[in-house]
């Protein structure tokens, strides 16, 4: 069967079409800067002897227009990979927030849609767009099954003592204020890969997702038991433009000194993290600044790595055993110098990185620990779209 995966962001639309159960990608695409006059479409055809890429700029006013462009490319007479939209059996949607309602991939029904709407306030930048794309996909592909895979679902196995905040009980019971965690689809995908590689179903793992957004998750036997992101995606590690953990007193101080709540939110989400420390949010730019002798960039990298090491220590304590560290996402997969910084001075946890292996660039799963390291260190490329396709196929197959 053909399963189309739609991963919609606030101003972007990412998609992949898979032939399942072979897990064969037929095409993939990314539409960026939706809502502007200089939107960018990058569409890659993966069938045939060599990949073919189409890239163009044009005005895409909203996600509906983006979905139409995607459909046009999928079924184009020259470069299309389907003849009819009815060839698509199911569409798997990434939905950011599922609250406490969803712990698995879910067939979308009117009731499910109403529940997603009820969670708009918990993910105001993402759930409304996810919902909009579901409605548009229902109209565009009326014969396809629509399936939701939630970022928060993987973390629903966290025990209550891990996800509850020390706040008045009514705030949890009535306002649903608790830690939910995010990047769950990525953490699940790479942890399952690690479990298979280790051949150890009960493995104790720490999965480190380092992209523009960053999170770290403690995983025992394939289940999340704690994670760094909480009620929203702001807490935990230092990120591209998000602050990560700060003392809440900083917020009160800013509010008392003339900042509005919107200004504080914008500051912590868009002007902080590596952006605030260096003027850059992209680690490639920061790496160039370090190599050029920037003391601010070098300090920012130490802050970034130090925060990850703190969480590694904390999660090793709650796991009470550590079989492997996993690095994934853009920075985790590609920045060998940051992996080196993070893994330094962790000898007491029996974590020993091999510098030569760390610098190697090839391999689907790269083992970068020394031969005598009790704890494995793995670099595993994440593939959220494939994970969504797999979960969607499993749901339909079991159904």
């Amino acid at each position: 069967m053909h399963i189309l995966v739609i991963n919609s962001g606030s101003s972007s639309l990412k998609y992949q079409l898979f032939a399942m159960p072979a897990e064969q990608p037929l095409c993939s695409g990314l539409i960026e800067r939706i809502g502007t006059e200089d939107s960018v479409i990058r569409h890659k055809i993966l069938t045939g002897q060599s990949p073919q890429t189409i890239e163009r700029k044009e005005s895409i006013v909203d996600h509906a227009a983006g979905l139409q462009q995607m459909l046009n490319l999928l079924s184009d007479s020259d470069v299309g990979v389907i003849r009819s939209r009815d060839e698509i059996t199911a569409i798997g949607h990434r939905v950011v927030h599922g609250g406490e309602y969803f712990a698995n991939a879910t067939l979308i029904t009117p009731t499910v849609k109403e529940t997603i709407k009820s969670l708009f306030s918990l993910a105001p930048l993402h759930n409304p767009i996810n919902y909009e794309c579901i409605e548009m996909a229902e109209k565009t592909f009326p014969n396809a099954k629509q399936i939701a895979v939630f970022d928060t679902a993987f973390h629903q196995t966290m025990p209550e003592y891990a996800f509850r905040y020390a706040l008045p009980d009514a705030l949890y019971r009535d306002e649903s204020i608790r830690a939910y965690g995010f990047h769950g689809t990525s953490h699940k995908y790479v942890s399952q890969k690690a479990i298979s590689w280790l051949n150890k179903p009960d493995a104790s793992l720490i999965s480190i997702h380092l992209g523009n957004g960053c999170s770290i998750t403690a995983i025992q036997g394939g289940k999340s038991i704690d994670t760094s992101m909480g009620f929203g995606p702001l807490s935990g590690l230092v990120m591209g433009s998000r602050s990560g953990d700060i003392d809440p007193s900083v917020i009160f101080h800013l509010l008392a000194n003339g900042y509005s709540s919107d200004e504080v939110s914008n500051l912590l989400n868009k002007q902080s993290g590596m952006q605030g420390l260096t003027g850059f949010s992209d680690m490639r730019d920061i790496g160039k600044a370090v190599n050029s002798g920037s003391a601010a960039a070098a300090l920012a990298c130490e802050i970034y790595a130090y925060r990850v090491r703190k969480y590694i220590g904390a999660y090793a304590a709650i796991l009470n055993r550590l079989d492997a560290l996993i690095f994934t996402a853009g920075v985790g997969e590609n920045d060998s110098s940051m992996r080196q910084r993070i893994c330094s001075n962790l000898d007491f946890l029996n974590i020993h990185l091999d510098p030569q292996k760390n610098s190697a660039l090839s391999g689907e799963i790269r083992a970068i620990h020394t031969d005598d390291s009790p704890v494995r260190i793995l670099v595993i490329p994440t593939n959220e779209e494939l994970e969504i396709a797999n979960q969607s196929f499993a749901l339909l197959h079991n159904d």
Side-chain angles (χ1 to χ4, degrees), residues 281-297:
S281 62
D282 192 309
M283 275 297 192
R284 290 167 294 190
D285 295 325
I286 294 165
K288 291 176 184 176
V290 171
N291 292 335
S292 297
S294 169

Side-chain angles (χ1 to χ4, degrees), residues 243-261:
S243 65
D245 290 340
I246 65 165
D247 181 346
S249 299
V250 174
I251 298 172
F252 305 142
H253 174 80
L254 293 172
L255 292 172
N257 283 274
Y259 282 75
S260 69
S261 59

Side-chain angles (χ1 to χ4, degrees), residues 168-183:
D169 189 66
L171 290 176
Y172 170 57
R173 303 298 172 193
D174 301 336
E175 303 293 337
S176 301
I177 296 177
R178 51 156 285 183
Y180 292 99
F182 300 91
H183 293 148

